[in-house]
Amino acid sequence: MFGNLFEEEEEDSLSSTPARGRVAKVGDEPPPPRGRSNLCGIKNQGGTCYLNSLLQTLLFTPEFREELFSLGPDELGCLEDKEKSGAEVRVIPLELQRLFARLLLVDQQSASTADLTDSFGWNSSEGTNQHDVQELNRILFSALEHSLVGTAGSTFIHSLYHGTIVNSIVCKECGNVSQRQEDFLDLTVCVCGVSSLEEALWNMFVEEELFEGNNLYRCAQCDRLVTAAKSAKLSMLPPFMTMSLLRFSFDFAKCERYKETGRYSFPLKINLRPFCEQTDGDDSDYSYELFSVIIHKGGCYGGHYHAYIRDIDQLGQWEPPEDDCKPKTKKKVKQEVKEECEPKLKEDDPLSVLTTIIAQEPSRSVLLDQLGQKLMDKIGASWSKKFRKHYGPIGKFLQSHTDIFMLVCNGTRVALKANLPSPTTEPPSPAKQTVNSVPAPEPGAAEEETELQPKPEVEGSHWFDVNDSAVTSIRESDIEKQFQGKESAYMLFYRKTQLHRPSEALNCPQYKVPHHLIQMAQEENLKLQQMREEFEASNNSVELCLHLAPCYRLKNGALQPTSKEPETTTLTFDRRKTVGDLRLAIYQKQEQWEGDMALTVAKSLPAGLHLYNTLTDDNVSLYSAGIYVNSDLFVWNGREVCGAGVLTGAQWEPVLLTVVRPSLGEKEKEQEEGEEGKSGFENGGPGLKKEARAFAGGATLGEVREALGEPKGSLLCQEHSGTKKGEQVSGEGGGASGWRVFPPDDMQRTLKELSLKDGDALLVLEQQSFDSSMFTLDGDVVTVTTPSDCRWLHIEFRPQGGGGGGGGGRGDGEEEEEERKKIKVPATGNMLLCDVKQRAIEELQLPGAAYCLRQVDCTGKLLPPVCEEMSVRDAGVRLMTTLTLCPGNAPKASQLFLHFSVGSAPSAGMEMDIIVEKTCTVKEALVGT
């Protein structure tokens, strides 16, 4: 198992050969600091949990680590000299010293044993294969004794763990006694057929084995076979007694190994006097107390090891588990205080649930990544199932209630803003405890605190579950849970009750640690602190897009840039800093700014730039204010932009509508064609004209009509989706479209209430419009019939316009104007789009390549290709509008056209269009690309 473990100096490969096959994980994120217990765990290399459990037990054996630390470089050498020829370097104890120093002093969640296992001569498979911890204990002690030959520590393993057993055989005939002494570093005790450790020891050291019948003993003095009695006694007791439990047995009937999982109890304190040869000493000479239990979870062919360890020097921050019971005499008082102080829980109210969870925490704060689990434990349902549909993600919910919640500890914990805990009810936060700090009592604590929250007794406390990287507090009574089952005790470690620790060793991790190791730990702590600061700075740097008010004007309910290319300023800022810090940075960058400065979260919408919440609290961090990467901020005076008041908030989000009006005549048509590029009109002779207009989402329909300059008698209509296909047919010509007239009551409703969204069409008609044959009113439905002379479509050819998404807007400046060709193709509502495309290709005389037809929305953005197997009417294409002919394939009726981009932002990575079957899964679609 240990390879060339004992050839430290004879074999160069031990100290110079790297761990083969193990690749160190190099990442940008530094190791996290210690947790609430303020103790350091050990990383699992893949199958080294057994090693980790034993090493932690040795670390928390103060006498062992102090003997190890007492060996200086003059005896062990220096690791820096191990490559030098002739240098005598004892690698294993040196690496063990370094590991112990890191576990005691370096502020990290877990330490690595890679250097130590390298000194063992392990290859990559040794780190991933699990072995027996009892075997490891013996081999490691032998390796250390071998390594320390010739030093002052050559006998310290022997002095701490070595004991002797005397085996005696007494002849029943002559009384002759034959004795043999046996050394041990640990006792192997039976589990099968016994119920407790005391019973197993009684069988070993009190019960006698008789040699009689066919099993006689040859007495040397009688010189013949005689009846005899065999017994064993403990002759010399070591300061530390290690008990290895024989949990694994062999079933000879089934020819297989199995694990004993029955109940097997062991005491916290044990007196070994009944099992000793000499019994005339004091009780303290035979008394031992339990301080470590190595636990095996699993079966005989595999499993996991962890350890319950008592922190004798109280180096860790022990906290009672949440379900720990208070004294019975205090329960009534505690319940009364709980009812008065804790908020009443309303399970259907997320605000009530979250505030209750946080208020019940001892530190009045909760780790963000644990909040979801605590909520599930509290109400029995996850946030996603209970609240997400109505309140969104839990993170956004916290950000939307910054008046109640606040993020602390660099954004890792959430706490309540109001009703902060008082000093008499809040224990010192473990986050403020350094590695070498000692918890101090709160000054001025009242007597009521002692009555309501009595300190836990030192006796029985300071037990921890050390499970690889994780170290958590447990109760002493939790040890009883390891008496039986698949997860049960495997090794027991006792220490003599005579061994007392000096007061200066308590709460002092640096006690008897050599100065050079303390200096090494301090350097590593400084390096870790620097790494964490650099990581936090880079991880919390956000790029903000600043929109300055002088560069915008209010038009149609939204902010529009005064120039074609809006002037924006990019600012990289640390989101852990406050809003006040950001405001000051902008002031310094905009030296010519005069007067007040308001910072308002903004968002670019199809209608323009819209403002939401203004950052008013200068003491709140950007993280708590909900500012993330690529957030847009509008910088203004908070009142008006270019003399116009601006409505802010989600309820006033502008909606970009397509306003449709009757086209009046030739003169107007010419005027509109001259303004086509500016206003967004798309006209083509008598019929309908379209215009893109933005309105505040909180505006009523009546206010929209007034803004359009229409009289009160005008009708506003919404496209009617309930019209049957048979009703749309109007002879051979362009067909008809149905519109629903908004009733008078809807004039008082807002666009948001009417569910109008970007791109929706709004038909505006006056009463005289029904004098034309184009418009027919039937109840509340208006039918618009396309005149016979309006049966055409404009086809615009764009050689490089095949990009998706925003391809239409981005390609305009790059394409040469002469490359664009626009023709008018005769068409009817019943005509297939494939015939329309074919006519356009023939008239444009294009080469034989793949082309598709695409519509353009009111912002000039290319929409997905239309299905050419459908008719003009069925595809939703209106006559007298423009289709764009682009290179590319058109989807069939059974297919979907998808556009996606690869990258952290839509404009940052590669963009691609794909056509997939409607029955295809997302995974199949991505694999097909």
Side-chain angles (χ1 to χ4, degrees):
M1 177 175 72
F2 270 61
N4 54 349
L5 177 63
F6 302 108
E7 289 76 28
E8 278 201 293
E9 320 227 319
E10 292 81 353
E11 297 289 340
D12 293 337
S13 59
L14 177 64
S15 59
S16 60
T17 304
R20 296 180 294 276
R22 180 168 63 242
V23 179
K25 293 184 179 178
V26 180
D28 295 330
E29 186 172 359
R34 300 187 178 209
R36 298 175 67 89
S37 67
N38 203 34
L39 295 177
C40 183
I42 301 178
K43 296 176 184 175
N44 193 326
Q45 296 186 36
T48 57
C49 54
Y50 66 102
L51 172 66
N52 298 347
S53 300
L54 180 60
L55 290 175
Q56 290 280 22
T57 298
L58 296 178
L59 173 72
F60 283 95
T61 307
E63 292 77 7
F64 178 92
R65 70 168 184 262
E66 289 169 8
E67 287 286 348
L68 183 66
F69 283 145
S70 68
L71 304 172
D74 54 331
E75 294 185 286
L76 302 181
C78 296
L79 289 173
E80 293 77 10
D81 300 333
K82 66 181 180 180
E83 302 293 340
K84 296 180 180 179
S85 59
E88 186 176 359
V89 181
R90 304 173 189 270
V91 183
I92 292 179
L94 284 172
E95 291 291 1
L96 195 57
Q97 279 186 344
R98 287 197 171 195
L99 175 64
F100 280 7
R102 290 189 176 102
L103 291 172
L104 290 171
L105 304 175
V106 178
D107 185 18
Q108 56 185 355
Q109 184 186 49
S110 57
S112 172
T113 55
D115 292 337
L116 179 64
T117 54
D118 284 351
S119 72
F120 294 166
W122 283 8
N123 55 28
S124 58
S125 63
E126 291 290 348
T128 55
N129 293 337
Q130 192 178 94
H131 297 284
D132 185 79
V133 69
Q134 297 173 358
E135 178 189 6
L136 172 70
N137 183 54
R138 296 167 188 147
I139 295 178
L140 180 59
F141 280 179
S142 297
L144 279 172
E145 286 186 318
H146 179 85
S147 302
L148 297 175
V149 170
T151 69
S154 59
T155 60
F156 92 85
I157 296 289
H158 188 274
S159 63
L160 293 178
Y161 296 95
H162 178 260
T164 57
I165 298 174
V166 174
N167 295 293
S168 302
I169 300 178
V170 180
C171 176
K172 294 294 184 179
E173 300 289 335
C174 66
N176 180 54
V177 179
S178 173
Q179 290 187 332
R180 178 176 58 86
Q181 185 170 292
E182 178 184 346
D183 299 327
F184 70 89
L185 293 178
D186 66 283
L187 289 179
T188 302
V189 294
C190 186
V191 173
C192 181
V194 294
S195 61
S196 66
L197 176 64
E198 295 95 324
E199 183 181 352
L201 293 175
W202 185 273
N203 293 340
M204 289 175 63
F205 300 113
V206 177
E207 294 287 345
E208 292 183 341
E209 180 185 357
L210 290 178
F211 296 109
E212 57 185 356
N214 295 329
N215 184 27
L216 296 176
Y217 168 73
R218 177 172 291 277
C219 178
Q221 187 165 325
C222 297
D223 195 23
R224 61 187 177 86
L225 294 174
V226 297
T227 302
K230 179 182 178 182
S231 63
K233 292 289 184 180
L234 293 169
S235 175
M236 187 186 74
L237 296 177
F240 295 90
M241 182 72 75
T242 303
M243 309 281 190
S244 298
L245 308 185
L246 286 176
R247 284 281 182 186
F248 300 117
S249 301
F250 190 83
D251 188 334
F252 290 94
K254 297 181 180 179
C255 291
E256 64 181 15
R257 296 178 70 206
Y258 68 95
K259 180 179 179 180
E260 296 282 354
T261 58
R263 180 177 175 82
Y264 187 88
S265 63
F266 47 88
L268 296 175
K269 291 185 178 180
I270 188 171
N271 191 309
L272 299 181
R273 185 194 295 269
F275 317 117
C276 293
E277 183 182 29
Q278 303 293 331
T279 59
D280 54 354
D282 295 334
D283 269 352
S284 59
D285 296 334
Y286 308 98
S287 297
Y288 287 81
E289 58 184 357
L290 186 71
F291 75 96
S292 178
V293 182
I294 293 183
I295 300 159
H296 181 264
K297 179 181 180 180
C300 55
Y301 296 106
H304 177 69
Y305 290 95
H306 63 108
Y308 285 178
I309 300 177
R310 182 183 167 201
D311 180 15
I312 296 170
D313 284 351
Q314 300 182 20
L315 305 179
Q317 181 70 32
W318 188 86
E319 296 179 349
E322 291 183 1
D323 56 344
D324 202 3
C325 297
K326 300 289 183 182
K328 291 182 179 181
T329 56
K330 312 299 179 184
K331 279 187 177 181
K332 186 175 179 181
V333 179
K334 176 190 169 184
Q335 184 63 31
E336 292 175 357
V337 173
K338 184 176 180 181
E339 290 175 357
E340 292 179 7
C341 299
E342 289 185 357
K344 207 168 186 179
L345 178 63
K346 300 177 182 177
E347 292 192 0
D348 292 332
D349 181 8
L351 205 58
S352 171
V353 174
L354 294 178
T355 52
T356 301
I357 291 172
I358 297 172
Q360 290 177 353
E361 287 293 306
S363 62
R364 297 290 179 92
S365 66
V366 178
L367 284 169
L368 274 176
D369 55 2
Q370 294 181 2
L371 186 57
Q373 182 60 45
K374 289 184 178 293
L375 183 140
M376 180 178 288
D377 296 340
K378 192 73 175 175
I379 63 175
S382 66
W383 176 275
S384 298
K385 288 185 178 180
K386 186 79 173 177
F387 301 118
R388 185 183 178 95
K389 183 177 180 181
H390 300 289
Y391 300 97
I394 191 170
K396 287 191 175 180
F397 181 81
L398 295 174
Q399 293 163 16
S400 63
H401 292 82
T402 53
D403 56 328
I404 298 175
F405 304 105
M406 59 184 283
L407 296 176
V408 296
C409 297
N410 293 332
T412 60
R413 305 181 71 87
V414 60
L416 297 177
K417 261 191 176 180
N419 301 322
L420 292 176
S422 63
T424 59
T425 57
E426 181 185 16
S429 172
K432 297 179 182 178
Q433 298 287 340
T434 61
V435 176
N436 301 323
S437 65
V438 181
E442 197 71 39
E447 294 180 0
E448 288 80 0
E449 178 186 2
T450 307
E451 294 178 2
L452 297 179
Q453 293 188 352
K455 294 181 180 179
E457 296 180 359
V458 175
E459 186 73 23
S461 65
H462 286 278
W463 278 89
F464 293 91
D465 179 7
V466 184
N467 193 344
D468 288 338
S469 297
V471 183
T472 54
S473 302
I474 61 168
R475 299 185 304 270
E476 192 175 67
S477 58
D478 290 333
I479 298 174
E480 296 181 10
K481 299 176 183 178
Q482 308 305 327
F483 285 173
Q484 61 189 2
K486 288 188 176 181
E487 183 178 7
S488 49
Y490 192 63
M491 286 188 76
L492 307 176
F493 296 83
Y494 287 88
R495 56 183 286 122
K496 275 193 174 183
T497 55
Q498 292 176 337
L499 300 174
H500 298 291
R501 300 294 296 150
S503 58
E504 57 267 23
L506 298 180
N507 306 116
C508 183
Q510 296 183 355
Y511 183 71
K512 290 197 175 181
V513 179
H515 177 71
H516 70 280
L517 292 178
I518 295 176
Q519 187 175 2
M520 177 202 72
Q522 291 173 344
E523 292 173 356
E524 292 189 12
N525 279 329
L526 289 175
K527 185 178 179 180
L528 284 172
Q529 182 180 358
Q530 183 179 0
M531 288 172 60
R532 288 171 186 144
E533 289 175 355
E534 292 175 355
F535 175 77
E536 287 294 327
S538 62
N539 194 43
N540 287 283
S541 294
V542 292
E543 197 170 81
L544 306 176
C545 186
L546 305 180
H547 302 265
L548 305 179
C551 302
Y552 285 83
R553 61 188 175 91
L554 188 65
K555 181 181 178 183
N556 294 335
L559 292 169
Q560 307 292 344
T562 54
S563 59
K564 290 184 179 179
E565 295 184 0
E567 296 182 9
T568 58
T569 302
T570 301
L571 177 65
T572 302
F573 205 74
D574 191 336
R575 64 176 180 171
R576 294 171 299 175
K577 293 186 177 180
T578 65
V579 173
D581 296 332
L582 175 62
R583 197 188 311 276
L584 180 61
I586 298 175
Y587 263 124
Q588 294 173 349
K589 197 168 186 178
Q590 302 293 326
E591 296 179 355
Q592 299 180 352
W593 188 277
E594 296 181 359
D596 297 335
M597 176 184 289
L599 303 179
T600 304
V601 178
K603 184 179 179 181
S604 293
L605 301 174
L609 192 71
H610 182 64
L611 307 185
Y612 293 86
N613 57 301
T614 300
L615 308 179
T616 56
D617 191 348
D618 280 359
N619 297 319
V620 171
S621 67
L622 297 189
Y623 185 93
S624 299
I627 304 300
Y628 297 100
V629 179
N630 296 327
S631 291
D632 291 287
L633 291 178
F634 191 72
V635 184
W636 60 318
N637 58 16
R639 298 181 299 276
E640 47 82 24
V641 175
C642 296
V646 181
L647 298 173
T648 64
Q651 69 273 24
W652 296 104
E653 275 187 1
V655 180
L656 188 65
L657 300 178
T658 302
V659 180
V660 183
R661 287 188 176 96
S663 181
L664 301 179
E666 198 69 28
K667 183 177 180 180
E668 185 185 66
K669 183 180 81 171
E670 292 175 0
Q671 292 175 352
E672 290 167 354
E673 286 177 350
E675 298 291 328
E676 183 175 351
K678 297 181 181 178
S679 63
F681 288 165
E682 184 173 355
N683 310 300
L688 301 175
K689 62 179 181 180
K690 296 191 296 182
E691 177 188 8
R693 290 286 299 270
F695 303 95
T700 64
L701 206 55
E703 292 171 343
V704 170
R705 182 172 60 186
E706 185 179 347
L708 291 172
E710 299 292 334
K712 289 188 176 181
S714 300
L715 299 179
L716 300 183
C717 311
Q718 185 179 18
E719 202 160 11
H720 187 37
S721 59
T723 308
K724 297 178 181 179
K725 289 186 178 181
E727 297 175 350
Q728 291 181 356
V729 178
S730 180
E732 181 207 357
S737 57
W739 299 76
R740 186 184 67 83
V741 179
F742 285 105
D745 292 344
D746 283 354
M747 294 297 114
Q748 304 304 318
R749 299 177 66 188
T750 65
L751 301 185
K752 292 286 186 182
E753 292 172 346
L754 293 169
S755 300
L756 289 172
K757 57 186 181 300
D758 293 324
D760 283 355
L762 190 68
L763 177 63
V764 182
L765 294 176
E766 297 183 13
Q767 290 296 334
Q768 58 267 32
S769 301
F770 296 104
D771 298 337
S772 169
S773 60
M774 278 185 59
F775 306 102
T776 306
L777 179 61
D778 182 11
D780 64 344
V781 176
V782 173
T783 302
V784 182
T785 306
T786 308
S788 59
D789 58 348
C790 297
R791 300 172 188 172
W792 50 262
L793 287 168
H794 267 148
I795 306 297
E796 182 182 20
F797 175 57
R798 294 188 186 180
Q800 300 177 359
R810 291 191 304 272
D812 289 349
E814 300 174 0
E815 295 178 6
E816 296 293 336
E817 192 66 31
E818 56 267 18
E819 290 184 357
R820 293 193 181 187
K821 299 177 184 179
K822 193 171 185 179
I823 61 171
K824 183 186 288 187
V825 175
T828 66
N830 297 326
M831 188 174 183
L832 294 178
L833 285 168
C834 58
D835 296 334
V836 175
K837 183 181 77 171
Q838 188 60 34
R839 288 189 185 183
I841 292 174
E842 292 174 356
E843 190 168 338
L844 292 169
Q845 298 180 353
L846 298 177
Y851 297 98
C852 61
L853 293 173
R854 303 176 70 165
Q855 292 179 292
V856 181
D857 69 3
C858 54
T859 63
K861 179 179 175 182
L862 280 176
L863 299 177
V866 296
C867 177
E868 297 171 4
E869 297 176 354
M870 302 174 69
S871 66
V872 173
R873 182 185 302 108
D874 292 341
V877 177
R878 292 183 181 174
L879 297 180
M880 301 193 317
T881 58
T882 300
L883 290 176
T884 303
L885 185 66
C886 304
N889 296 315
K892 298 178 181 179
S894 62
Q895 295 177 325
L896 289 174
F897 174 88
L898 301 177
H899 171 79
F900 66 92
S901 61
V902 181
S904 57
S907 59
M910 177 186 66
E911 298 187 357
M912 187 179 297
D913 297 335
I914 59 173
I915 296 176
V916 297
E917 294 293 331
K918 292 181 179 180
T919 57
C920 182
T921 65
V922 175
K923 182 177 180 180
E924 291 169 346
L926 294 176
V927 171
T929 60

